[in-house]
Amino acid sequence: MTHTYRYFLSAVLSLGVIVHAIGQSGSNDPTFSIGTGFNSAETYIGVNDLALQPDGGVIVGGDFASFNGVTRNNIARLNPDGGLDTTFDPGSGFTGGGFLSWVSSLALQPDGRVIVGGDFTQVNGTPRNFIARLHPDGSLDTTFDPGSGFNMVIMAMALQPDGKVIVGGDFTSYNGTSCSYLVRLNADASLDTTFNTGIGFPNQSVVYTIAVQPNGKVLIGGAFTSYNGVPVSHLMRLMPDGTFDPTFNASCNDQVWSLVPQPNGKLLVGGAFTMVNGTGRGRIARLNVNGGLDPTFLPGTGFNAGVYGVVFDMALQQDGKIIASGRFYDYNGTSCHNIVRLLPNGIPDGSFATGAGFNDPLGQGVPALAIQPDGSVIVGGFFTLYDNDPSERIIRLLNDCLIGGPCDDGDSLSVNDMFTGECACVGTYSCEPSQLTTTADPVISCGATDLKFNGTSIIASTEVPGANKYQFLFTNVPGQPAYSRSIAKPSRSFILTKWYTLPLKAGRTYNVTVRASFDNGATWCAYGPSCTVKMSWFPLVPGQQPRSAEDTWADTPELLLYPNPTNGDNLRIGLSGVDPELTTVSLDITDLFGKRVMSSTLPINDGEVDAVLSLTGDLSSGLYIATITAGGATFNQRFVLDR
């Protein structure tokens, strides 16, 4: 999370009886009551960042002096119902700084302490230049001592699992040591000298957003054109030690403000740019693991608000949908004001009804988003209206119900009514945790070794009663290169293959987690406990040299047509291992002279095509070629028509 726009300007399921309706996705949640909200005597009043606590509390940082009439200088904690949490007392809060003092970035530690960055020089009267850490009760944590701190504003922070924090912004020194806009601090706030940024970024650069990947690599976005002498354009990736990662190649023609890594290794990028890797992308794009554009993400013309349009923040839902906020008034021709929800392929989701959206009286947009465990969306910014109703700088929006989400009457399942679009609670099924099986049911999968790709190995999870889809997430164990691949199946077991997209590798160990769905993948339960599985080596050919876990192999999907020859009544078409994010593929049938005699669009589910085609009666007997185009891949197979 970052951000402040000021700096930019310098089916009803057959599961049971519906019990009650709660409200339409995207509408204001009336149970989140903020009173008069955030206020200040200053012109600029708004929320810059949000941090969600496990207990439902919301830590808010921004430009404000009070909340609902109680003094809170630039930081406050709200209860789950939107009221002020008075047990979090920062005293006089964050003050000093330049033109105005403000908090721009929050990093919540597992122990409840929160690291705060922004533009300030004091915390409750104690000198702290631009960075500080608070105890869970809001008091200053003096064990986090930055010394003289930073010389300029912090815009972004990212917390590592080891307690270190990576900090970016507009600064050029930390505690007397020169540093160019990016540093890593130890858990006690001392400078981590093992994070080697070299000469860093050139003058007049700013780091706006930071994201740490599971493998320890660090994604950086902002306003910069080089790093340690290497030309880069507003987006790059660093190795865990701070050195430049040349395996990630991406460039944007303008500032990057938001980075959201997806579980499958792809990366959502938002900002002020209109080109990514030389291709038109209106302020949002999705990149593959190596930085290349993901062609399955289709934003069209993207976001528009003239030259000042920008995507400040994005949040990824469990179902892969994307919520984006910023400063814009339409998305690919669809009217939306400063907030929108997109389907996983980049198309606007009309079921998320925002109406007139957020106003923008200060021209600073909506910089902060966060999704609560029940799917509700907390939004912070500089607005005073949402869908033409008063809302002072913070609001909670209803979202698609999560399976297993809370219901007032104690029911344990929430679904969306496909007829009304409203969230409803039913009481038939509950989200029991699922994981790979530890007993022979049908096989022992948790901890399994010597798994093969030849169709003889089965992966199985424990059963969740009533579930009709299971998703298996494969990731690398620590110390191995980054890898993330999910596969969804209608049953709790499937035959293991190496896959064409993001293939598994021989000899490698993977962590596997499983989650279940009661509505065919529209919503998901939480992932259960992790288990490891290990892939086997293929037998070596006599004389072949031993291999490492990095070895690759040919892994090309094969188009199958059967029966072949066929009388044309029922030609079955099979293809597996293609891009799992595709929803359709195109089929063309040509004769031996290359003349197209038939075309069709076939559905694809989880990277697999399984269709039956009835050939038209006017085709004569002979040899034909079937061609399937799936994304950028093409597959051909001959067949004989024998009438």
Side-chain angles (χ1 to χ4, degrees):
M1 304 279 288
T2 59
H3 319 62
T4 174
Y5 185 70
R6 174 189 303 167
Y7 223 82
F8 179 73
L9 294 177
S10 51
V12 175
L13 302 176
S14 57
L15 306 178
V17 178
I18 294 178
V19 177
H20 58 276
I22 302 173
Q24 187 170 7
S25 178
S27 62
N28 180 15
D29 182 354
T31 68
F32 190 75
S33 179
I34 62 171
T36 57
F38 292 101
N39 295 279
S40 174
E42 301 170 350
T43 301
Y44 292 101
I45 313 168
V47 171
N48 292 323
D49 202 7
L50 303 165
L52 300 185
Q53 296 188 162
D55 63 358
V58 184
I59 303 176
V60 184
D63 302 12
F64 49 82
S66 66
F67 178 80
N68 199 18
V70 179
T71 298
R72 285 294 185 269
N73 282 315
N74 302 319
I75 194 166
R77 187 167 68 195
L78 308 186
N79 291 316
D81 63 358
L84 182 68
D85 182 354
T86 56
T87 67
F88 182 87
D89 185 0
S92 59
F94 292 80
T95 57
F99 171 59
L100 296 172
S101 58
W102 38 278
V103 168
S104 61
S105 188
L106 302 168
L108 182 63
Q109 297 185 171
D111 62 3
R113 291 183 291 182
V114 58
I115 304 175
V116 183
D119 186 1
F120 52 82
T121 57
Q122 290 189 350
V123 180
N124 196 22
T126 301
R128 283 294 185 271
N129 288 324
F130 306 101
I131 193 169
R133 185 167 67 191
L134 304 183
H135 287 295
D137 64 358
S139 62
L140 181 66
D141 180 0
T142 57
T143 67
F144 186 86
D145 186 359
S148 59
F150 292 97
N151 66 329
M152 278 294 286
V153 181
I154 290 174
M155 299 297 294
M157 297 189 297
L159 192 65
Q160 295 188 168
D162 60 2
K164 296 181 180 181
V165 59
I166 303 174
V167 184
D170 189 28
F171 49 81
T172 56
S173 72
Y174 177 73
N175 198 20
T177 301
S178 296
C179 56
S180 295
Y181 313 106
L182 185 72
V183 296
R184 185 167 67 190
L185 306 183
N186 294 311
D188 62 355
S190 61
L191 186 66
D192 181 2
T193 57
T194 68
F195 192 72
N196 182 19
T197 61
I199 61 174
F201 299 100
N203 289 336
Q204 307 302 314
S205 297
V206 184
V207 171
Y208 290 127
T209 181
I210 305 169
V212 179
Q213 295 183 304
N215 61 358
K217 293 186 179 182
V218 184
L219 293 156
I220 307 292
F224 48 79
T225 55
S226 69
Y227 177 76
N228 199 18
V230 179
V232 291
S233 187
H234 308 288
L235 177 61
M236 66 174 187
R237 188 169 66 190
L238 304 181
M239 303 298 288
D241 63 357
T243 57
F244 181 73
D245 180 4
T247 67
F248 182 83
N249 295 292
S251 65
C252 301
N253 70 333
D254 209 334
Q255 301 167 357
V256 171
W257 283 78
S258 182
L259 298 172
V260 180
Q262 296 190 171
N264 61 2
K266 295 184 179 183
L267 175 68
L268 288 166
V269 183
F273 53 80
T274 56
M275 301 280 288
V276 179
N277 298 348
T279 303
R281 284 294 184 270
R283 301 173 174 90
I284 190 171
R286 187 166 64 201
L287 307 183
N288 292 318
V289 176
N290 62 359
L293 270 177
D294 177 4
T296 67
F297 186 78
L298 306 171
T301 56
F303 292 98
N304 187 21
V307 295
Y308 297 110
V310 61
V311 172
F312 283 131
D313 205 1
M314 297 181 291
L316 186 67
Q317 296 186 177
Q318 290 184 7
D319 58 4
K321 293 179 181 180
I322 304 149
I323 301 177
S325 69
R327 187 178 187 274
F328 47 79
Y329 53 72
D330 77 31
Y331 177 80
N332 196 23
T334 299
S335 177
C336 58
H337 288 269
N338 303 321
I339 189 168
V340 70
R341 186 171 71 183
L342 310 178
L343 299 176
N345 60 2
I347 297 174
D349 182 2
S351 69
F352 192 75
T354 60
F358 292 102
N359 71 334
D360 191 11
L362 301 178
Q364 298 188 88
V366 179
L369 284 174
I371 298 180
Q372 294 185 302
D374 68 350
S376 300
V377 185
I378 305 289
V379 187
F382 292 77
F383 51 84
T384 58
L385 298 173
Y386 177 71
D387 196 17
N388 296 320
D389 289 331
S391 182
E392 289 290 339
R393 279 80 184 189
I394 194 168
I395 194 172
R396 184 164 67 193
L397 305 182
L398 296 171
N399 201 351
D400 295 335
C401 300
L402 296 180
I403 300 298
C407 294
D408 314 9
D409 51 11
D411 289 330
S412 57
L413 174 63
S414 305
V415 299
N416 269 21
D417 186 324
M418 64 185 295
F419 299 108
T420 67
E422 293 184 335
C423 185
C425 286
V426 296
T428 302
Y429 302 134
S430 62
C431 262
E432 297 180 8
S434 184
Q435 69 173 89
L436 294 189
T437 52
T438 57
T439 60
D441 179 27
V443 294
I444 297 174
S445 293
C446 187
T449 60
D450 198 33
L451 293 176
K452 298 176 174 61
F453 304 122
N454 60 3
T456 63
S457 294
I458 295 176
I459 291 290
S461 70
T462 56
E463 183 176 8
V464 177
N468 55 20
K469 203 163 193 177
Y470 294 79
Q471 188 170 51
F472 300 76
L473 176 62
F474 289 71
T475 57
N476 271 346
V477 296
Q480 294 182 348
Y483 176 87
S484 180
R485 174 69 155 85
S486 64
I487 185 76
K489 294 291 182 181
S491 64
R492 63 187 181 94
S493 65
F494 68 97
I495 298 175
L496 184 66
T497 61
K498 50 192 173 182
W499 304 314
Y500 176 63
T501 305
L502 299 174
L504 296 170
K505 293 195 174 186
R508 180 166 289 177
T509 300
Y510 294 91
N511 284 320
V512 183
T513 52
V514 186
R515 62 180 181 176
S517 172
F518 296 93
D519 52 7
N520 291 301
T523 52
W524 294 95
C525 300
Y527 280 108
S530 176
C531 288
T532 61
V533 297
K534 186 173 182 180
M535 306 299 118
S536 72
W537 290 109
F538 295 122
L540 291 174
V541 176
Q544 182 179 349
Q545 293 296 316
R547 299 158 296 196
S548 74
E550 298 303 318
D551 288 342
T552 59
W553 56 85
D555 185 19
T556 304
E558 181 181 3
L559 175 59
L560 300 177
L561 304 175
Y562 52 96
N564 190 5
T566 178
N567 63 9
D569 291 340
N570 292 291
L571 177 63
R572 195 164 193 112
I573 302 172
L575 179 66
S576 63
V578 297
D579 191 334
E581 294 194 5
L582 295 176
T583 57
T584 60
V585 298
S586 60
L587 168 69
D588 292 312
I589 297 179
T590 57
D591 61 20
L592 287 181
F593 300 99
K595 178 183 177 182
R596 182 186 298 164
V597 297
M598 188 175 179
S599 296
S600 181
T601 298
L602 303 178
I604 182 171
N605 183 35
D606 295 323
E608 297 182 358
V609 177
D610 186 6
V612 177
L613 192 67
S614 179
L615 301 178
T616 56
D618 56 352
L619 288 183
S620 59
S621 297
L623 184 62
Y624 294 87
I625 300 174
T627 301
I628 283 185
T629 303
T634 302
F635 310 94
N636 301 286
Q637 188 60 268
R638 297 182 180 185
F639 69 93
V640 175
L641 178 60
D642 185 10
R643 295 196 182 277

